[in-house]
Amino acid sequence: MSRRRFVDGIRLALREELESDPDVCLYGEDITLGGPFGATRDLVDAFGEDRIRNTPISEATVVGLAIGAATVGARPVVEVMFVDFITLAMDQLVNHGAKLHYMSGGQIKVPLTIRSTFGIGGGWGAHHSQSLESWLMHVPGLKVAMPSCAADTRGLLQASIQDDSPVIFLEHRGLYFTSQEVGDDDGKPIPLGQAIVRRTGADVTVVALSQMVNDALTVAEKLATEGIDVEVVDPRTVAPLDIETIVESARKTGRVVVAHEAVISGGVGAEIVAQIQREAFDYLDAPIVRVGAPTAPVPAAPALEDLFAPGGDEIEAAVRAVVQGAV
Amino acid sequence: MSRRRFVDGIRLALREELESDPDVCLYGEDITLGGPFGATRDLVDAFGEDRIRNTPISEATVVGLAIGAATVGARPVVEVMFVDFITLAMDQLVNHGAKLHYMSGGQIKVPLTIRSTFGIGGGWGAHHSQSLESWLMHVPGLKVAMPSCAADTRGLLQASIQDDSPVIFLEHRGLYFTSQEVGDDDGKPIPLGQAIVRRTGADVTVVALSQMVNDALTVAEKLATEGIDVEVVDPRTVAPLDIETIVESARKTGRVVVAHEAVISGGVGAEIVAQIQREAFDYLDAPIVRVGAPTAPVPAAPALEDLFAPGGDEIEAAVRAVVQGAV
Amino acid sequence: MSSASAKNKAAAAQETADADALRAMLDTMWTARAFEERASELYAEGEIKGLLHLGIGQEGVSIGACSVLDPGDVVYGTHRPHVHAIAKGADITKLMAELAGRSTGYCGGKGGSMHVAAPEVGFITATGIVAGNIPLGLGAADEFKRRGSKKIAVVFHGDGASQTGSFHESINIASLWKLPLVMICENNGWAEFTPLSSHTNVERLAVHAETYGIPTVTIDGNDAFAVREAVAVAVERARSGGGPTFIECLTQRLRGHYEGDPGKYRELSQLEEWKKKDPIQRFMVALAERGVEFDADKVEQAARDRVEVAIKEALAGPLPTEADVASQVYA
Amino acid sequence: MSSASAKNKAAAAQETADADALRAMLDTMWTARAFEERASELYAEGEIKGLLHLGIGQEGVSIGACSVLDPGDVVYGTHRPHVHAIAKGADITKLMAELAGRSTGYCGGKGGSMHVAAPEVGFITATGIVAGNIPLGLGAADEFKRRGSKKIAVVFHGDGASQTGSFHESINIASLWKLPLVMICENNGWAEFTPLSSHTNVERLAVHAETYGIPTVTIDGNDAFAVREAVAVAVERARSGGGPTFIECLTQRLRGHYEGDPGKYRELSQLEEWKKKDPIQRFMVALAERGVEFDADKVEQAARDRVEVAIKEALAGPLPTEADVASQVYA
Ligand SMILES: Cc1ncc(C[n+]2csc(CCOP(=O)(O)OP(=O)(O)O)c2C)c(N)n1
Ligand SMILES: Cc1ncc(C[n+]2csc(CCOP(=O)(O)OP(=O)(O)O)c2C)c(N)n1
Ligand SMILES: [Mg+2]
Ligand SMILES: [Mg+2]
């Protein structure tokens, strides 16, 4: 067992895929200089400017041209610096990237990966802190990965790039320079659509996305000392969503909390709740509780941001409420 | 009681607001010629080209400039021809329109209305048939109206234009040239955030959006002959969502179906289910069932489109399943 | 054999080849015309549904352009894509079947008119989003360049598309990366019901290319010869690493924006004027002037016959079924 | 009094007014400089958090420009907005309080540096989205025109913004509708860590305005006089119904892209060169040449003192609380 930084998982996977598949190429702003967080550092030296393409500030067209390149055989990886900027490229992503395979009756493939950072932290304000995975989950044809640790950035990114469908790969800014343990199966692509039970527990299930997985694990350890046995499920990808693993856990514990950093209203949590209540109706001992951001843009002031951001405290409170039936 | 066409409700409201408030102005493609569906017909004659502005095909900038006009006192109404094209304007809408009031600490107001058609029908294919209300509901700061009848197009559109926050007003293409009854309170703005019970019933609640309300009412009449008493709730706006009215109905009937035309996964239905199961957990006799589109782009071929589009048949099947406990 | 007579023979062979190519263009023009005229009728009869944008009157542009493309080159079309697809060699039976929503259509009926795709002949896709195809073609060109391939990419777009952000972002990148892209503007003077002058103060759209130092010409798009020649230069430039070209083709659509458009915004009195400029008629005159032999009636009739056969086969095709509704969502 | 002496008097009064205006500009330049230098320190100390983009070295552009605006005119700034806001008259205490996340900040701490708004002085908003403010200013100009108001709108944007679709869509519409808009490009040659030449083949960004027949000049943006004069012409044009102007100001940022940027991509050896072109120093030389009297040390010190007072008051302000988190979402 060794430890690795989240960002290094990304760099590793990019390098590996660039090495093993000549069709892989990268597009993004400042990526020949490593991008703002260093995820693409040094790649241009090894693979050249034709494959590591610095682009102008033209997100809509850059996503579109990556799709176009994909339609003639490329396997492009686009870095959209912040997922907040993906709003500029939604037409290309949704109307072409996601739909071309279906609209063409299977004639065209779009093996595109879009990497983008997201998440709250550092007081960066409402244009650099959003979580938009629920939009993407609602778009048929897209896959959406949300790694929670360094091993997964590597394995899920490998799988995303190798996948023949467009995948949006969402990297939480707050995880970038944290380190996690890397297991023995490190280096193998992790299939998209397979949740993982990060901690088994008998009393209550916490389904958590990305950074919230780590918060959930911390809460679980704490509550274990009080005799509350928390199971933590990490879906890893929200599209496809491995609902079987989630429902299995819900049936076992009968109590569920769903946690993500996105705004609660219309978030991925709603979809997970809707599916659980349908598939595990008779097993539930309490209403499912969601943890997420309030219905507001992300404030810039650190004092507000702290209050705004959902995290361990909110998960803990929700778990207690669900366990005590005090929902 | 008289009848009115859906589109005429829109025209009436636009005319009334243009007449009563000199700050109101319209932007859109071809709108001086009435737009593709005639909603703005003749308005330029009455109000001139400064207030009824034909725009180039520049959706991102047109939404942005309407927001800018709003920041200095205008009350603009933008027609985005199909909601599929709002994908081009998501940055301006989400990052500026929805957030400026909050980000400025309340200094700036954005009394913007965006009208856009949506929905399946006629074999128009995957770029002219989407439903994207769940994206919009997930954006703090936006209101989202989905009228189901001519009286509501008038009253909700009046309220939308008068509202000091940005409102997205979603008009189902399939309703445009249908007529509905208009009641005695016609002509008054309908407050945003007030659901309406379209039909009272004791056995099962159908929460339906836009065109699906009419499908639900038809199903209700049919099932009444079999002794199944269906209550139909029309939220009218999905943000704000009048969850009280919905939960009250759910508590009464104990059985709920939620129906919309959007893709089920990540749709507004998920949010409604998540809230109901939380607020009416002990009252539910069966899992809540969602009716919506499958996870696929909208196909063009009429044969496929018919199979794809959710409607009365799907609602009926869901109601029967919920009532019989055969979910 | 003397070298002079060998040269003569080669020249004669070339002339025959050219004449064949030109006759093939005429065939294609009539095929497209007959196809769309019949599509219009089938639409009126309810055999075809959806939004149908016809290119009747604009055939000179894409058929002229595609006549100098290789099979491996790729084309990205617009919401008015039938002529583009036929120009690139699409099978008219599969195309008609697609319009008619049959499972035997190019896309199994999933795409319909506006999203038809025939990648097997290099017509990668059409789009319902104005200018949406421009970045796509740009990306294909970038991929060809990266691979060191000799293939090139062509995008067609309307005058209305030239006020979109994507157009401008794309043309900048095409110039910056010197991509093998040919941008062909079908400037028919209208975007839906609004004339170009109400959408921009720019009179010659070619100006946008000049900004970036991209070679550009504005030509008569109803003169298929002129288009063919201008595009040949552009294709040669692109193939040899000389980068993009922008070609503005002035043309007219002889039909409404879409089938069913009452067309009240245009002076229909001018319709007769426009018809005089019909690209097919003009191409036949030009062929005759160049001594290329053909039998006008036969060519037209043969095209109409081909289209009838295609329609018959297309409409006999099966409808897609439940199993198709949610298939092919993921690759 | 003879009419000649009246004229002399008027001229003298005008000269005094001008001198006062120029001295005010110098005050503002020093205020902005002192404000940002201290903001940088406070950032290093952790008193300010977030993403901080400083305009040090670029003061000549927006302070020159805003010196000829009326209070009722409006400005839309970029992600590098402090100088823009101060130029338009923003209160530096409220501005500093906003950067420091205090509830006494302009936005109660909700906006922070990148989304600061001071509409009370006509600085409507900044934005974290490159080019996002351009359509906003365009819309304000349209609203002013519709109302028959004499107000005008100004947008600042960087060279990097000129490769965005919004820039091009906006400039087309500004020209088409002849709007009272002044677009001022702060061309500092860099977008983050990438030079302009890697983002476009266009050398003079003013070319984009020429395409649309929009009056345009490229000027030395570090010469606040030149900016003031060019913008005065543009403002007069806009106010009198003459439509938009595009002004390309060549400038340099003397700091990293953001605070914390190691800046390895630039030749730091040139920093001394750039500093010689410091707009404040140059403005003082120019003032002296024109015989405008001022005490350089005093002016600078007064500005630094003002900033210290502002900081003290700003940091003494209360932090926002739970009640603020989800308030002001809807208007
Ligand atoms: C992004 C977008 N906005 C609006 C439309 C509606 N629309 C369809 S065709 C068209 C006009 C296009 O004009 P032009 O590009 O000149 O092509 P033409 O129809 O003349 O061939 C418009 C506005 C669309 N399809 N996509
Ligand atoms: C739409 C968008 N894409 C990318 C970014 C990240 N970003 C922030 S500033 C910047 C460079 C902007 O360059 P320029 O417009 O020249 O302004 P400058 O920073 O030089 O003042 C970039 C790419 C962003 N904020 N918004
Ligand atoms: Mg046109
Ligand atoms: Mg710059």
Side-chain angles (χ1 to χ4, degrees):
Chain A
M1 289 275 223
S2 63
R3 292 181 74 81
R4 185 186 296 139
R5 294 189 313 169
F6 191 81
V7 60
D8 292 329
I10 299 167
R11 291 173 70 185
L12 256 177
L14 290 174
R15 185 173 281 276
E16 286 162 345
E17 296 307 310
L18 281 159
E19 264 162 10
S20 63
D21 185 345
D23 293 336
V24 173
C25 56
L26 271 50
Y27 293 98
E29 291 159 19
D30 300 299
I31 60 168
T32 55
L33 296 116
F37 307 113
T40 56
R41 192 173 298 150
D42 301 333
L43 293 176
V44 72
D45 302 330
F47 303 102
E49 292 207 336
D50 273 354
R51 294 183 69 193
I52 315 294
R53 275 261 195 230
N54 244 13
T55 74
I57 309 173
S58 305
E59 282 82 0
T61 289
V62 171
V63 168
L65 77 84
I67 296 166
T71 63
V72 295
R75 198 169 279 281
V77 183
V78 179
E79 176 170 308
V80 173
M81 209 179 283
F82 294 85
V83 83
D84 311 69
F85 309 161
I86 218 172
T87 51
L88 286 152
M90 287 311 278
D91 163 53
Q92 282 295 344
L93 181 59
V94 170
N95 285 325
H96 297 114
K99 296 189 173 59
L100 278 177
H101 184 65
Y102 181 87
M103 293 194 304
S104 70
Q107 296 178 96
I108 305 172
K109 280 183 193 156
V110 183
L112 165 76
T113 301
I114 294 185
R115 297 176 38 244
S116 196
T117 68
F118 78 103
I120 305 167
W124 293 17
H127 289 171
H128 291 72
S129 308
Q130 282 165 92
S131 296
L132 294 176
E133 64 272 9
S134 80
W135 287 10
L136 303 166
M137 159 189 244
H138 190 50
V139 180
L142 296 185
K143 299 186 178 182
V144 185
M146 299 183 72
S148 65
C149 62
D152 281 15
T153 52
R154 183 178 183 187
L156 287 174
L157 186 51
Q158 287 179 316
S160 299
I161 297 173
Q162 290 170 20
D163 201 285
D164 278 346
S165 296
V167 183
I168 320 299
F169 190 84
L170 297 170
E171 305 161 359
H172 195 290
R173 268 202 289 124
L175 290 174
Y176 247 69
F177 302 108
T178 64
S179 298
Q180 293 86 27
E181 278 194 357
V182 165
D184 298 332
D185 50 354
D186 179 51
K188 274 196 283 185
I190 299 170
L192 305 178
Q194 285 190 10
I196 185 167
V197 178
R198 294 278 177 204
R199 183 186 195 282
T200 51
D203 299 335
V204 51
T205 300
V206 177
V207 182
L209 300 183
S210 186
Q211 167 153 283
M212 299 290 266
V213 171
N214 306 301
D215 293 329
L217 289 170
T218 308
V219 168
E221 290 314 312
K222 175 173 175 188
L223 293 182
T225 65
E226 298 179 25
I228 302 175
D229 194 14
V230 179
E231 177 146 311
V232 177
V233 181
D234 177 355
R236 284 173 154 173
T237 60
V238 297
L241 180 67
D242 177 0
I243 193 65
E244 289 75 21
T245 300
I246 294 169
V247 165
E248 198 183 312
S249 177
R251 288 185 175 174
K252 182 177 77 175
T253 63
R255 297 172 196 273
V256 185
V257 168
V258 184
H260 53 55
E261 223 183 73
V263 167
I264 291 178
S265 173
V268 167
E271 179 62 34
I272 294 175
V273 170
Q275 293 201 37
I276 296 174
Q277 69 84 35
R278 170 104 190 229
E279 302 301 330
F281 188 77
D282 294 329
Y283 300 80
L284 290 178
D285 299 318
I288 306 165
V289 171
R290 290 180 288 166
V291 171
T295 299
V298 184
L304 286 176
E305 196 190 40
D306 276 355
L307 293 164
F308 180 93
D313 290 350
E314 288 74 15
I315 293 176
E316 184 181 330
V319 168
R320 289 187 192 280
V322 166
V323 169
Q324 291 157 12
V327 175
Chain B
M1 290 276 224
S2 64
R3 292 180 74 81
R4 184 187 296 138
R5 293 189 313 168
F6 191 81
V7 60
D8 293 329
I10 299 166
R11 291 174 68 185
L12 255 176
L14 289 175
R15 183 173 282 276
E16 286 162 344
E17 296 307 312
L18 281 159
E19 264 162 10
S20 63
D21 185 346
D23 293 337
V24 173
C25 55
L26 272 49
Y27 293 97
E29 291 161 17
D30 300 299
I31 60 168
T32 55
L33 296 116
F37 307 113
T40 56
R41 192 172 297 148
D42 301 333
L43 293 177
V44 72
D45 302 330
F47 303 102
E49 293 207 336
D50 272 355
R51 294 184 68 194
I52 315 295
R53 276 263 195 228
N54 245 12
T55 75
I57 309 173
S58 305
E59 281 82 1
T61 289
V62 171
V63 168
L65 77 85
I67 295 166
T71 63
V72 294
R75 198 168 277 281
V77 183
V78 178
E79 176 170 307
V80 172
M81 210 180 282
F82 294 84
V83 84
D84 311 69
F85 309 160
I86 218 173
T87 51
L88 287 151
M90 288 311 279
D91 163 54
Q92 282 295 345
L93 181 59
V94 169
N95 285 325
H96 298 113
K99 296 189 171 63
L100 278 177
H101 184 65
Y102 181 87
M103 291 194 305
S104 70
Q107 296 178 95
I108 306 172
K109 280 184 194 158
V110 183
L112 164 76
T113 303
I114 294 185
R115 297 177 37 245
S116 196
T117 68
F118 78 103
I120 304 167
W124 293 17
H127 289 171
H128 292 72
S129 306
Q130 282 165 93
S131 297
L132 295 177
E133 63 273 9
S134 79
W135 287 11
L136 303 165
M137 158 189 245
H138 190 49
V139 179
L142 296 184
K143 299 187 179 181
V144 185
M146 299 182 74
S148 65
C149 62
D152 282 14
T153 52
R154 183 179 182 185
L156 288 174
L157 186 51
Q158 288 178 315
S160 299
I161 297 173
Q162 290 170 20
D163 201 283
D164 278 346
S165 296
V167 183
I168 319 299
F169 190 85
L170 297 170
E171 306 161 0
H172 196 290
R173 270 201 289 123
L175 290 174
Y176 247 69
F177 302 108
T178 64
S179 298
Q180 293 86 26
E181 278 193 358
V182 165
D184 297 333
D185 51 355
D186 179 52
K188 274 196 285 185
I190 298 171
L192 305 178
Q194 286 190 9
I196 184 166
V197 178
R198 294 279 177 205
R199 183 186 195 282
T200 51
D203 299 336
V204 51
T205 299
V206 178
V207 182
L209 301 183
S210 186
Q211 167 154 283
M212 298 290 266
V213 171
N214 305 300
D215 293 329
L217 290 169
T218 307
V219 168
E221 290 315 312
K222 176 174 173 188
L223 293 181
T225 64
E226 298 180 25
I228 302 174
D229 194 13
V230 179
E231 177 146 311
V232 178
V233 181
D234 177 356
R236 283 173 155 174
T237 59
V238 297
L241 180 68
D242 178 1
I243 193 65
E244 289 76 20
T245 301
I246 294 169
V247 165
E248 198 183 313
S249 177
R251 288 185 174 173
K252 182 176 77 175
T253 62
R255 297 170 196 275
V256 185
V257 169
V258 184
H260 53 55
E261 224 183 72
V263 167
I264 291 179
S265 173
V268 167
E271 179 61 34
I272 294 175
V273 170
Q275 294 200 36
I276 295 174
Q277 69 85 34
R278 169 105 190 227
E279 303 300 331
F281 188 77
D282 293 329
Y283 299 81
L284 290 179
D285 298 318
I288 306 165
V289 172
R290 291 180 289 166
V291 171
T295 300
V298 184
L304 284 177
E305 195 190 40
D306 277 355
L307 293 164
F308 180 93
D313 291 350
E314 288 74 14
I315 294 176
E316 185 182 329
V319 169
R320 288 188 192 280
V322 166
V323 169
Q324 291 156 12
V327 174
Chain C
M1 196 162 65
S2 79
S3 109
S5 96
K7 258 194 192 150
N8 279 349
K9 266 215 165 161
Q14 182 59 43
E15 213 163 87
T16 313
D18 282 355
D20 285 348
L22 296 175
R23 272 189 291 263
M25 273 174 73
L26 183 61
D27 286 346
T28 307
M29 288 175 96
W30 272 119
T31 303
R33 177 66 58 90
F35 182 94
E36 291 209 310
E37 285 180 355
R38 289 290 285 124
S40 172
E41 289 169 12
L42 292 169
Y43 189 85
E45 291 161 20
E47 285 283 355
I48 295 177
K49 294 226 160 57
L51 278 175
L52 207 66
H53 304 85
L54 302 183
I56 289 176
Q58 306 188 175
E59 295 92 344
V61 179
S62 52
I63 295 173
C66 293
S67 75
V68 294
L69 296 184
D70 284 350
D73 295 332
V74 296
V75 168
Y76 294 79
T78 66
H79 58 285
R80 198 179 298 291
H82 315 140
V83 185
H84 306 157
I86 293 171
K88 192 64 176 67
D91 179 280
I92 56 171
T93 304
K94 289 204 240 174
L95 191 60
M96 188 58 88
E98 187 58 34
L99 267 52
R102 296 305 199 276
S103 71
T104 44
Y106 265 114
C107 312
K110 286 172 174 173
S113 162
M114 262 191 298
H115 316 101
V116 68
E120 61 184 29
V121 297
F123 182 77
I124 305 294
T125 190
T127 180
I129 304 297
V130 169
N133 60 327
I134 303 177
L136 300 180
L138 184 75
D142 191 39
E143 173 62 7
F144 292 152
K145 184 173 185 202
R146 184 170 24 245
R147 277 200 234 153
S149 151
K150 288 279 167 208
K151 294 183 185 174
I152 68 150
V154 174
V155 293
F156 294 104
H157 65 81
D159 47 302
S162 69
Q163 291 90 51
T164 66
S166 296
F167 170 84
H168 294 274
E169 292 185 348
S170 294
I171 199 165
N172 177 55
I173 292 176
S175 126
L176 184 67
W177 296 347
K178 233 184 172 188
L179 298 182
L181 177 72
V182 183
M183 296 176 70
I184 301 179
C185 177
E186 298 184 306
N187 183 350
N188 62 13
W190 292 90
E192 294 199 350
F193 327 129
T194 303
L196 180 59
S197 59
S198 298
H199 278 175
T200 184
N201 283 337
V202 173
E203 283 173 22
R204 280 284 57 76
L205 299 176
V207 167
H208 294 303
E210 285 166 15
T211 299
Y212 298 91
I214 293 180
T216 183
V217 282
T218 300
I219 59 175
D220 180 349
N222 282 20
D223 178 348
F225 261 115
V227 176
R228 178 176 158 90
E229 278 167 19
V231 175
V233 172
V235 166
E236 173 51 29
R237 180 181 297 123
R239 253 193 244 299
S240 59
T245 304
F246 180 84
I247 300 175
E248 180 184 17
C249 299
L250 305 179
T251 185
Q252 274 142 350
R253 61 168 157 78
L254 294 175
R255 297 293 172 117
H257 171 61
Y258 54 87
E259 285 303 281
D261 171 9
K264 294 209 181 115
Y265 49 92
R266 297 201 294 184
E267 293 296 331
L268 288 173
S269 57
Q270 289 178 10
L271 202 59
E272 288 313 306
E273 273 308 304
W274 300 332
K275 283 192 178 157
K276 283 191 203 135
K277 300 187 193 152
D278 185 315
I280 304 188
Q281 298 303 329
R282 284 181 57 191
F283 191 63
M284 292 197 293
V285 171
L287 284 188
E289 279 170 9
R290 286 170 201 230
V292 177
E293 284 175 18
F294 63 95
D295 180 329
D297 292 342
K298 266 199 190 151
V299 169
E300 174 176 351
Q301 195 52 51
R304 296 202 183 277
D305 291 346
R306 276 196 299 279
V307 166
E308 288 317 313
V309 172
I311 290 173
K312 212 168 160 201
E313 191 180 334
L315 296 187
L319 296 175
T321 63
E322 185 73 52
D324 302 312
V325 172
S327 69
Q328 297 167 325
V329 174
Y330 288 135
Chain D
M1 194 163 61
S2 78
S3 108
S5 95
K7 260 196 191 150
N8 279 348
K9 266 215 165 163
Q14 181 60 43
E15 213 162 87
T16 313
D18 281 355
D20 285 347
L22 295 175
R23 272 189 290 262
M25 272 174 73
L26 183 61
D27 285 346
T28 307
M29 289 174 94
W30 272 119
T31 303
R33 177 67 58 91
F35 182 94
E36 291 209 310
E37 285 180 354
R38 289 290 284 122
S40 171
E41 289 169 12
L42 292 169
Y43 188 86
E45 292 161 18
E47 284 284 357
I48 294 178
K49 293 225 160 58
L51 278 174
L52 206 66
H53 304 85
L54 301 184
I56 290 177
Q58 306 189 175
E59 294 93 343
V61 179
S62 53
I63 294 172
C66 292
S67 75
V68 294
L69 296 185
D70 285 351
D73 295 332
V74 296
V75 167
Y76 295 79
T78 66
H79 57 284
R80 197 179 299 291
H82 314 141
V83 185
H84 307 157
I86 292 171
K88 192 63 177 69
D91 179 281
I92 57 171
T93 305
K94 289 205 240 174
L95 191 60
M96 189 58 87
E98 187 58 33
L99 266 52
R102 296 304 200 276
S103 72
T104 43
Y106 265 114
C107 311
K110 286 173 173 172
S113 162
M114 263 192 298
H115 316 101
V116 68
E120 62 184 30
V121 297
F123 182 76
I124 305 294
T125 190
T127 179
I129 304 296
V130 169
N133 61 326
I134 303 178
L136 300 179
L138 184 76
D142 191 39
E143 173 63 7
F144 293 152
K145 183 171 186 202
R146 184 170 24 246
R147 278 200 234 154
S149 151
K150 287 278 167 210
K151 293 182 185 174
I152 69 150
V154 174
V155 292
F156 294 104
H157 64 82
D159 47 301
S162 70
Q163 291 92 51
T164 66
S166 297
F167 170 85
H168 294 274
E169 291 185 349
S170 293
I171 199 165
N172 177 54
I173 292 176
S175 128
L176 184 67
W177 297 347
K178 233 183 172 190
L179 298 182
L181 177 71
V182 183
M183 295 175 72
I184 300 178
C185 177
E186 298 184 305
N187 183 350
N188 62 11
W190 294 90
E192 295 199 346
F193 327 128
T194 303
L196 179 59
S197 58
S198 298
H199 278 175
T200 184
N201 283 336
V202 173
E203 283 172 23
R204 280 285 55 76
L205 300 176
V207 166
H208 294 302
E210 286 167 14
T211 299
Y212 298 92
I214 293 179
T216 183
V217 281
T218 299
I219 59 175
D220 180 348
N222 282 21
D223 178 349
F225 260 115
V227 177
R228 177 176 158 91
E229 278 167 18
V231 176
V233 172
V235 167
E236 173 49 31
R237 180 181 296 124
R239 254 195 243 298
S240 60
T245 304
F246 180 84
I247 300 175
E248 180 185 16
C249 299
L250 304 180
T251 185
Q252 273 143 348
R253 60 169 157 79
L254 294 176
R255 296 293 173 119
H257 171 61
Y258 54 86
E259 285 304 280
D261 171 9
K264 294 208 184 115
Y265 49 92
R266 297 201 294 185
E267 292 296 329
L268 288 173
S269 56
Q270 289 178 11
L271 202 60
E272 287 314 305
E273 272 308 302
W274 302 334
K275 283 192 179 156
K276 283 192 204 134
K277 300 188 192 152
D278 186 315
I280 305 187
Q281 298 302 331
R282 285 182 56 192
F283 191 63
M284 292 197 294
V285 171
L287 283 188
E289 279 170 9
R290 286 171 199 229
V292 178
E293 284 174 18
F294 62 94
D295 180 329
D297 292 341
K298 267 202 193 149
V299 168
E300 175 176 350
Q301 194 54 50
R304 296 202 182 276
D305 291 347
R306 277 197 299 279
V307 167
E308 289 317 312
V309 172
I311 290 173
K312 210 167 162 200
E313 190 180 335
L315 295 186
L319 297 175
T321 62
E322 185 73 52
D324 302 313
V325 172
S327 69
Q328 297 168 325
V329 174
Y330 287 136

